[in-house]
Amino acid sequence: MRTYAEGVYHFVIAFGGSCFASKTLFSFFEMELWGRELTNDIKKCQKCIKKFMVDIGFGQVKQYNSYMPKCSHNSMDYNFTTLSIFGYTIKKRIMQGEAMQEITNYNEFIDALEKAGFSMSGDNSEGIFTLCDQFGEAIAWHTEQPETDPWLWRMRVLKEQSDIAYGKLFFGKGGFITAKWFPYFYAVRRGNKDLEQEYRKGTISASARRIYTLLKEERELPVHRIKELLGFGKGKEERPLFDAAIVELQMKLYILPFGEERKIAKSGEPYGWPAMVYGLTENFFEQTVIEEAEKLSFENAYSQIDKQILLLNPQAKENKRKKFILGE
């Protein structure tokens, strides 16, 4: 019986073509037989199918009624059709050298993120995409191990990578966007919009406007300094307004996290938990990223992101894709 790796290798060329390693030609008929063999091998179990799809870069599969026997684990039916609907997409990605392998450390995460272009930062894909689906057993949250703790990777990205943005970018939750794809999101969410004009239209809150105006003057500030300078107290009413405004500005791509900073005591010693530092989006990336965004039309940028989402997750629903792209 073939290994999973060999199965991927054979399956991706199920629609014909030549293997990039050996130049061997394979027919669709051969691949259909292999698809049935693979289906039997992994016992048509939803969990097994999902593992296979995760191994080659997808976390979800479609369910079909079929002529194949039912899985004894959950009575789900799977046949080769289930796999073949992903065939063209997977073939394209692997033939281009873009298949997503299991992630076992920080550097592999960065490589996978560069290939994907964007991702939710947590293990909830929100019906779109998260690289957490590719995490291997070595990856564990909140262990304080820089190479294998995804919680630490958020700040490592900001400190060590100049071409990846992190922040509350999707559904009000954490996510990553690479410099390659950031112009597309910028063109869709901001375009030529001016914050003052948006404020007068009522699409930007007063709290968000105050924070943005301050950051235009100061460039970068930690959260506690923003609160101090703008007079945001710790009251039950003001804190939610401040937190919501910070997320609002990130989702609309007016500001981004630049890193973390601790408070400084009178003695000059840092103390307390690190606080997020924010600055204007225009000061985060090189100017070329913003200039590239200005060349894109809303329609073209939206279309390109939508296509990439479907490449990463062919099952992503249209309404979810729309919210993801527009930052709703």
Side-chain angles (χ1 to χ4, degrees):
M1 187 63 66
R2 297 182 178 91
T3 65
Y4 275 110
E6 291 172 329
V8 173
Y9 164 80
H10 285 275
F11 172 68
V12 295
I13 46 179
F15 287 78
S18 62
C19 165
F20 55 83
S22 63
K23 309 300 182 185
T24 304
L25 294 173
F26 297 85
S27 69
F28 179 84
F29 179 72
E30 289 175 293
M31 293 310 100
E32 182 174 5
L33 293 179
W34 167 227
R36 292 177 183 176
E37 181 181 350
L38 174 65
T39 307
N40 286 326
D41 182 30
I42 57 183
K43 305 181 188 301
K44 297 166 293 303
C45 174
Q46 185 180 23
K47 293 181 180 179
C48 300
I49 290 276
K50 182 173 181 179
K51 179 184 184 304
F52 172 77
M53 299 311 295
V54 167
D55 285 345
I56 53 180
F58 292 93
Q60 302 175 12
V61 292
K62 248 182 179 178
Q63 300 173 12
Y64 285 88
N65 291 323
S66 69
Y67 59 87
M68 300 295 287
K70 290 186 176 182
C71 166
S72 60
H73 294 94
N74 55 25
S75 300
M76 294 290 184
D77 291 339
Y78 295 98
N79 65 5
F80 178 65
T81 306
T82 308
L83 302 179
S84 68
I85 59 170
F86 296 95
Y88 179 77
T89 299
I90 300 172
K91 170 189 169 184
K92 180 179 178 182
R93 288 173 59 187
I94 291 188
M95 298 300 264
Q96 290 177 342
E98 296 182 357
M100 292 185 183
Q101 305 299 323
E102 181 179 81
I103 295 171
T104 63
N105 57 52
Y106 175 76
N107 287 332
E108 291 177 357
F109 168 74
I110 294 300
D111 289 342
L113 182 56
E114 290 287 359
K115 292 171 184 176
F118 44 81
S119 170
M120 299 295 297
S121 63
D123 55 11
N124 185 350
S125 71
E126 296 292 338
I128 300 296
F129 178 73
T130 176
L131 282 170
C132 294
D133 285 340
Q134 274 75 256
F135 286 177
E137 294 182 0
I139 305 303
W141 294 81
H142 306 296
T143 60
E144 298 298 320
Q145 299 298 316
E147 290 303 313
T148 55
D149 184 352
W151 181 253
L152 300 182
W153 294 353
R154 304 166 307 123
M155 292 303 106
R156 283 195 66 180
V157 162
L158 297 181
K159 291 177 182 178
E160 302 175 24
Q161 317 298 141
S162 61
D163 58 350
I164 300 174
Y166 164 79
K168 297 295 178 67
L169 304 174
F170 309 115
F171 305 108
K173 300 180 180 180
F176 301 94
I177 305 176
T178 65
K180 176 181 177 181
W181 282 93
F182 198 86
Y184 295 92
F185 284 96
Y186 190 96
V188 168
R189 298 190 188 181
R190 279 192 61 176
N192 297 320
K193 294 177 182 176
D194 176 78
L195 186 134
E196 286 298 322
Q197 293 178 352
E198 294 303 304
Y199 171 69
R200 288 193 288 271
K201 290 180 183 177
T203 58
I204 291 287
S205 68
S207 297
R209 177 175 178 254
R210 291 172 61 196
I211 295 170
Y212 180 79
T213 302
L214 176 64
L215 290 175
K216 282 184 70 174
E217 299 173 356
E218 301 291 338
R219 290 184 66 85
E220 298 176 28
L221 285 172
V223 166
H224 56 269
R225 285 292 293 151
I226 297 175
K227 289 181 178 179
E228 290 173 6
L229 293 172
L230 293 179
F232 279 98
K234 298 181 180 180
K236 293 182 179 180
E237 295 182 359
E238 290 189 343
R239 182 170 180 176
L241 291 176
F242 179 84
D243 293 343
I246 287 290
V247 173
E248 177 186 359
L249 289 169
Q250 290 176 81
M251 292 285 287
K252 295 179 182 294
L253 302 185
Y254 282 104
I255 68 172
L256 289 171
F258 278 52
E260 288 181 325
E261 182 179 306
R262 296 171 67 190
K263 293 181 179 180
I264 305 297
K266 293 181 179 180
S267 63
E269 294 295 320
Y271 72 97
W273 292 102
M276 196 72 79
V277 175
Y278 292 99
L280 299 188
T281 298
E282 294 86 335
N283 298 328
F284 185 87
F285 286 114
E286 294 182 358
Q287 186 59 31
T288 53
V289 173
I290 305 302
E291 291 174 353
E292 186 64 28
E294 293 172 348
K295 299 175 184 177
L296 296 168
S297 68
F298 174 93
E299 292 76 16
N300 181 39
Y302 187 102
S303 175
Q304 292 302 313
I305 299 172
D306 199 41
K307 289 178 181 178
Q308 183 67 3
I309 293 173
L310 290 173
L311 184 64
L312 296 169
N313 178 11
Q315 288 187 300
K317 296 180 179 180
E318 184 178 359
N319 64 327
K320 278 281 189 177
R321 302 199 312 267
K322 180 180 179 181
K323 291 181 179 180
F324 181 87
I325 296 171
L326 297 179
E328 296 179 343

